Amino acid sequence: MTDTGSAPLFRVDEVGSWGALYWLGLLCSVGIAGINLYVWTLTGMPHFLAVAGSFVFGVGLFFTRFWSPAVYLVGVVHVIALGVVWVLGGRAFLVLGAVNGIFSVGLLAVALWLFFAEYRTADD
């Protein structure tokens, strides 16, 4: 077990080694957060603010030492659950829902790819 108490909070030393997939995942996350924040400003419905906040939290967590490959799977479940919510209740924002869906599918694919890639690397 590694002692994370003495490790720096932010993974600044790793940022330079992140490839395009990491940045694509972050872009998708920020896009989803932005869309939900925008819909919240239009409707005032607090669940859109909560969704935006959850993705901002995830992006922030990604830059810390507390990130682990298992969190990708939490993100996958989160994206799928929110996709169902958008499909069932997002008809009022069809275009935003479609763009949100594109970001979500992108994030889903990237998260699964990175989970398996990092999981394999951790086993070696």
Side-chain angles (χ1 to χ4, degrees):
M1 180 174 233
T2 347
D3 177 25
T4 57
S6 62
L9 177 61
F10 295 103
R11 305 186 303 160
V12 202
D13 54 330
E14 296 177 31
V15 173
S17 66
W18 291 347
L21 277 179
Y22 290 94
W23 295 108
L24 179 61
L26 287 168
L27 174 71
C28 289
S29 295
V30 169
I32 294 168
I35 288 170
N36 282 277
L37 189 61
Y38 178 68
V39 172
W40 171 72
T41 62
L42 296 176
T43 65
M45 299 171 86
H47 58 278
F48 288 108
L49 182 60
V51 170
S54 70
F55 280 93
V56 169
F57 176 77
V59 168
L61 184 66
F62 187 73
F63 285 96
T64 70
R65 70 173 183 245
F66 302 112
W67 186 265
S68 75
V71 182
Y72 289 122
L73 296 181
V74 173
V76 165
V77 171
H78 188 56
V79 166
I80 290 171
L82 294 174
V84 170
V85 170
W86 266 96
V87 166
L88 295 178
R91 286 180 183 60
F93 303 100
L94 190 57
V95 173
L96 290 174
V99 174
N100 195 56
I102 292 167
F103 280 134
S104 297
V105 168
L107 181 59
L108 192 72
V110 167
L112 285 173
W113 182 272
L114 290 175
F115 169 75
F116 287 112
E118 289 185 19
Y119 187 74
R120 267 186 261 119
T121 303
D123 279 348
D124 293 342

